[in-house]
Amino acid sequence: MSSNIQLWAGSPDYLQWSRTQIMPFSEKRVQFLVRLSEVLLSGHYSAALTALGFWLRESQLRQWQQEYANDDKVILAPVGRVFIVSPSNVEGLFAYSWALSYLMGNQTVVRVSEQLTDDQRALFTLLESLDVQTAGLSEQAFISYDKRSDITQKLSHWCQLRMLWGSDQSIESIRQMPLPAQAQEWVFPDRYSVSVLHLTEADIPRIPKLAEGFARDVSTYQQQACASPKWVLWYQTDKTLQQQFWQAVDACLVGAFPANERLVASQYLCALGGVKVFYGNIKVIEASSILGGDQHLKGVVGQSQCSDLATITAQLPNHIQSVTAFGLDRAAKVALMTRSNVRQFAQMGHALNFDKVWDGIDLTTILSKKVRL
Amino acid sequence: MSDWKSLEVFGLAKAEKQAWLLDELNRLTLHHQAHCAPYANLLAGQGQQARVAESLDAVPFVAARLFKMLCLSSTQPEDVFKTLTSSGTTSQVKSQIVLDRDTAALQSKVLVSLLSSFTGKARRPILIIDHDGLTGDKAGFSARGAGVQGLSFLGRDHTYALNSDMTPNWPVIDEFIAKYANAPVLIFGFTFMVWQHFIEPLIASDRSNLLPQALLFHSGGWKKLQDQAVSNDAFKTTVRQALGEGVAVHNFYGMVEQIGSVFVECEQGHLHAPSYADVIIRDQETLEVKNIGESGLIQVLSFIPKSYPGHSILTEDLGRLLGEGDCPCGRKGRYFEVLGRLPKTEVRGCSDVF
């Protein structure tokens, strides 16, 4: 094995693992995740890791187990060998996709960026210590390596499922490496997310709560996650209400974004034709359509006015992912998704809550196979 | 208004300077508004259209990073003479600065006029701490190449001290030393390169007191030296140890976005704004103007940039305003110090593990 591989947790001999006989929701694996969840919820971990702990709580795992219970027609089985390449911008993301792969009974190799964040270090330390106690990670590996090495190629030959999370550029480079015909691939490339808000006079009392949620959606990961809303499409909403909303958001974002980042981002959107309409802890730039979607801006949100749903969908880019919505009924959501590539809706404040159905894909399904009896 | 050439480099009193520079800058704002659409949009979007600034601090500024995100040019494509790029390292996105002939020429003339106020009118033999091969390609001209070329106008008998692999070219250096040991010479290089590729090897090779009448200009940021815990004082002391006690050492602060009107360090160790340029220090958080003694983001003003809207730029450097018009060195205008870069908020765009 090349010397530039770093193993952060799990077992190093992944290329030699023999085939596993573990099945989805094996009790040993459920117990490992439950233990992981309990420690993460002990109060000693960051908000992001605590959220992971909550997501993996036992009641949730048991509920999934029910949901995927075998019947007399099909039995759920692992895919087998899964290779996950995870992004560095949302440092906890790898843990979610790994946990699902693990739960479905797979052997998993996860590649993370060489520059570990504090959260990643803490999580790997914890995984290692749980592994020492339970040997629960004997068929799992969390590694980093120099991207110029041939490890990606080796793992692409090793795996039966390659799952790539990252920028379009990263994914396209990895895709240069052939995947054997027998292996599957799922990719999670660059996405863009917006918020669609429809407020009426009756919603005034709810504005503070909505604003708090919106502020959480933009401040988590400093707007750098694919699901972070970057533009607000106001659907039939009075400008006074918009102003009230921004004031309430502003109050929740004191110190969230450095002044220079806000300046750079707002000047950029203005240079493209936007007009500054709100100036504070976050800047709001108005334009007739979405601008600057290819830059990673911080501390700025764009907005446009939409009188009907068609004006909204006309603006949404092809790589639209999440719509954090308020005031849209089911029919409106259906109208939006049928006319655009919207991949998921979220409630205000929950844009970044990971779900096993993500980006329009049921991860548990792709990480397992349904064997017909 | 008087032509810049009639101005004494560091001789304008506050009111006089403000009147001259403000007029130049207001004219540039209007010029760029008419010739650079994104710049006009930027002003309009910020509610700053069609406004003549009443004071220097009211001149609209452009965030330096915008030059990396957009092509901001007030020049017709057929009139582009060369495009400068920042010497940004590794994978960083580089600034793009578009020059026409007039702006490029003005940069060189202003730089020569400014620096010759330190070196005197006579051209000195110049030892350039770099290799010969930076100034060839006009299309992709680096800031380093532009710096070297700008300074080379000040000197004669241009001698490049380094090989292309950045090792000292000893035969050439020794010949230069033998020839000019007792003459006033000029040395120029980027701070870190002067240190690592010239001074340190000189000392290691036991050469000392080599060019006692030299004047050294160096520029280009302290970050790498700070990482090695080398202060400006230590830098000067070591340079003098290697070259001679009487060697004059002048750092200067400049950037690819505003070549020409640089800020040169005086004998007191203060960076001075020449008559053609100015600095304003702004609060990091509120962007309000700071007073003497206070620190914040450095905004730089220059009358030179006509081919691109770079006459008023808010940098990502931190500095402290030290005074105005009263430096013991006798130069008028504002003087300041640079404290380093704004701490980088981690760039974590969508993810590149690959």
Side-chain angles (χ1 to χ4, degrees):
Chain A
M1 196 185 294
S2 303
S3 56
N4 64 5
I5 301 179
Q6 267 182 298
L7 178 78
W8 301 111
S11 108
D13 52 352
Y14 40 88
L15 293 175
Q16 279 82 48
W17 287 335
S18 54
R19 69 167 301 116
T20 177
Q21 293 182 27
I22 295 168
M23 292 296 278
F25 298 101
S26 88
E27 194 52 29
K28 196 181 165 201
R29 290 198 172 184
V30 171
Q31 285 307 328
F32 185 90
L33 293 178
V34 167
R35 185 71 196 119
L36 176 65
S37 159
E38 285 167 358
V39 181
L40 289 175
L41 288 172
S42 65
H44 302 297
Y45 289 89
S46 70
L49 289 180
T50 305
L52 173 66
F54 181 72
W55 194 70
L56 290 171
R57 66 197 182 281
E58 183 166 13
S59 58
Q60 170 97 79
L61 300 178
R62 296 296 175 200
Q63 191 192 319
W64 292 343
Q65 196 169 10
Q66 293 282 308
E67 201 178 315
Y68 292 91
N70 296 321
D71 56 31
D72 52 6
K73 292 200 186 74
V74 289
I75 290 186
L76 211 57
V79 166
R81 298 182 296 273
V82 176
F83 173 37
I84 300 176
V85 178
S86 92
S88 56
N89 60 326
V90 181
E91 68 261 31
L93 189 62
F94 77 90
Y96 290 86
S97 39
W98 166 76
L100 291 174
S101 175
Y102 182 70
L103 195 59
M104 301 319 282
N106 297 297
Q107 297 174 332
T108 321
V109 176
V110 181
R111 188 204 159 188
V112 297
S113 164
E114 287 178 290
Q115 305 288 325
L116 291 195
T117 61
D118 291 349
D119 269 5
Q120 286 179 329
R121 281 186 192 285
L123 183 59
F124 288 138
T125 308
L126 173 56
L127 285 171
E128 268 299 273
S129 76
L130 294 178
D131 188 29
V132 168
Q133 293 161 32
T134 64
L137 299 180
S138 58
E139 291 175 313
Q140 311 296 315
F142 299 88
I143 59 173
S144 307
Y145 54 82
D146 186 326
K147 66 182 179 188
R148 286 160 301 192
S149 74
D150 60 352
I151 314 298
T152 301
Q153 202 162 356
K154 282 191 181 144
L155 287 167
S156 299
H157 278 276
W158 167 85
C159 72
Q160 289 161 298
L161 170 66
R162 186 164 79 173
M163 183 186 276
L164 309 176
W165 299 78
S167 66
D168 290 359
Q169 204 193 353
S170 310
I171 288 175
E172 279 163 17
S173 340
I174 296 175
R175 279 187 155 178
Q176 302 294 314
M177 291 173 213
L179 195 61
Q182 295 295 322
Q184 304 288 342
E185 178 170 68
W186 285 93
V187 299
F188 297 84
D190 280 334
R191 297 288 193 217
Y192 186 83
S193 295
V194 302
S195 198
V196 175
L197 303 181
H198 173 54
L199 296 182
T200 62
E201 293 284 324
D203 297 316
I204 290 177
R206 309 177 70 166
I207 285 180
K209 196 85 190 141
L210 292 171
E212 195 189 311
F214 185 83
R216 185 160 62 240
D217 289 339
V218 292
S219 60
T220 309
Y221 301 120
Q222 298 243 309
Q223 288 186 293
Q224 302 306 292
C226 289
S228 316
K230 287 146 194 111
W231 205 273
V232 172
L233 298 151
W234 289 107
Y235 174 49
Q236 297 177 352
T237 299
D238 187 80
K239 291 225 170 179
T240 344
L241 296 177
Q242 296 177 18
Q243 198 63 21
Q244 281 181 36
F245 176 79
W246 290 125
Q247 272 157 7
V249 170
D250 190 56
C252 303
L253 288 175
V254 178
F257 299 103
N260 189 59
E261 293 300 323
R262 281 177 275 151
L263 176 77
V264 169
S266 62
Q267 285 202 334
Y268 180 70
L269 292 184
C270 286
L272 297 183
V275 172
K276 195 166 72 184
V277 291
F278 187 87
Y279 182 104
N281 297 311
I282 188 154
K283 294 192 181 190
V284 182
I285 305 291
E286 177 147 348
S288 55
S289 62
I290 292 172
L291 301 174
D294 52 344
Q295 292 279 350
H296 299 287
L297 305 176
K298 290 179 186 171
V300 71
V301 183
Q303 69 170 23
S304 14
Q305 309 295 332
C306 305
S307 51
D308 52 54
L309 294 172
T311 351
I312 297 178
T313 49
Q315 286 197 49
L316 298 177
N318 283 331
H319 65 312
I320 181 76
Q321 181 191 60
S322 307
V323 172
T324 315
F326 180 78
L328 298 187
D329 57 16
R330 189 186 167 91
K333 288 180 185 171
V334 171
L336 287 183
M337 56 174 268
T338 49
R339 294 176 193 192
S340 75
N341 290 341
V342 167
R343 287 164 174 92
Q344 57 198 29
F345 288 92
Q347 287 176 12
M348 301 282 280
H350 298 276
L352 300 173
N353 292 9
F354 193 78
D355 192 277
K356 63 186 173 55
V357 178
W358 187 257
D359 208 35
I361 294 165
D362 182 343
L363 293 165
T364 40
T365 299
I366 64 169
L367 286 161
S368 61
K369 56 178 182 274
K370 282 181 175 154
V371 180
R372 202 150 42 84
L373 289 176
Chain B
M1 271 298 142
S2 38
D3 185 75
W4 70 274
K5 286 181 213 142
S6 67
L7 304 178
E8 219 185 301
V9 181
F10 294 103
L12 285 191
K14 187 173 175 175
E16 243 180 311
K17 172 173 175 174
Q18 292 213 345
W20 183 83
L21 189 59
L22 184 60
D23 186 68
E24 293 284 338
L25 297 176
N26 277 332
R27 241 186 297 190
L28 285 170
T29 305
L30 290 174
H31 169 81
H32 294 309
Q33 210 173 0
H35 294 93
C36 176
Y39 180 74
N41 284 343
L42 191 159
L43 295 188
Q46 298 190 130
Q48 293 173 313
Q49 62 269 57
R51 202 183 63 177
V52 171
E54 301 284 331
S55 62
L56 290 178
D57 55 33
V59 175
F61 51 79
V62 174
R65 209 187 307 158
L66 247 57
F67 290 97
K68 298 183 178 176
M69 302 165 81
L70 286 167
C71 180
L72 293 170
S73 168
S74 305
T75 306
Q76 292 297 321
E78 62 272 23
D79 295 328
V80 173
F81 171 58
K82 59 186 172 189
T83 303
L84 297 177
T85 54
S86 55
S87 48
T89 46
T90 58
S91 63
Q92 280 178 323
V93 184
K94 295 175 178 182
S95 296
Q96 297 267 331
I97 303 299
V98 173
L99 299 181
D100 60 8
R101 275 184 189 280
D102 289 351
T103 303
L106 190 57
Q107 288 181 340
S108 307
K109 286 181 197 156
V110 171
L111 188 67
V112 167
S113 139
L114 217 162
L115 296 182
S116 62
S117 85
F118 288 83
T119 62
K121 286 271 180 273
R123 286 188 168 207
R124 302 174 176 211
I126 183 169
L127 184 65
I128 297 162
I129 312 304
D130 215 315
H131 62 90
D132 184 9
L134 288 170
T135 50
D137 181 13
K138 271 179 193 154
F141 215 68
S142 71
R144 216 169 100 199
V148 167
Q149 193 180 57
L151 266 290
S152 67
F153 288 121
L154 281 176
R156 60 183 171 86
D157 195 2
H158 305 95
T159 306
Y160 289 86
L162 305 183
N163 298 308
S164 53
D165 64 356
M166 309 301 275
T167 53
N169 188 340
W170 290 119
V172 163
I173 295 172
D174 288 333
E175 195 193 325
F176 188 89
I177 289 170
K179 217 160 145 190
Y180 300 116
N182 298 309
V185 299
L186 196 57
I187 304 173
F188 169 69
F190 286 85
T191 308
F192 179 70
M193 292 171 57
V194 169
W195 180 260
Q196 175 147 321
H197 302 305
F198 184 57
I199 297 298
E200 281 193 327
L202 272 182
I203 290 174
S205 72
D206 275 332
R207 292 166 165 88
S208 67
N209 203 33
L210 299 170
L211 291 164
Q213 297 192 53
L215 185 152
L216 166 65
F217 281 127
H218 66 103
S219 184
W222 285 94
K223 196 184 170 304
K224 284 184 182 164
L225 287 185
Q226 274 162 354
D227 291 347
Q228 298 181 14
V230 178
S231 66
N232 192 358
D233 280 346
F235 183 89
K236 286 183 194 168
T237 309
T238 313
V239 166
R240 289 181 180 134
Q241 216 176 304
L243 298 177
E245 276 314 304
V247 169
V249 182
H250 296 277
N251 181 218
F252 65 82
Y253 173 66
M255 62 207 72
V256 70
E257 292 84 355
Q258 259 183 20
I259 297 231
S261 52
V262 297
F263 302 89
V264 187
E265 179 191 16
C266 72
E267 300 74 12
Q268 308 292 321
H270 302 149
L271 296 166
H272 280 263
S275 300
Y276 331 117
D278 218 340
V279 288
I280 291 168
I281 304 293
R282 291 188 181 269
D283 187 275
Q284 268 186 72
E285 197 43 42
T286 64
L287 305 182
E288 294 295 320
V289 175
K290 302 293 257 182
N291 295 316
I292 290 169
E294 296 179 322
S295 54
L297 286 172
I298 300 175
Q299 180 190 347
V300 290
L301 304 168
S302 168
F303 88 108
I304 297 176
K306 199 166 182 195
S307 56
Y308 65 98
H311 58 301
S312 171
I313 294 174
L314 188 69
T315 72
E316 296 188 353
D317 294 324
L318 295 169
R320 180 173 16 238
L321 191 61
L322 297 173
E324 180 162 15
D326 58 359
C327 179
C329 77
R331 290 177 183 82
K332 293 193 177 139
R334 292 184 152 197
Y335 54 99
F336 65 105
E337 64 178 332
V338 176
L339 302 171
R341 300 279 292 167
L342 188 64
K344 193 84 193 132
T345 47
E346 212 179 330
V347 180
R348 284 161 48 196
C350 236
S351 72
D352 289 296
V353 286
F354 180 74

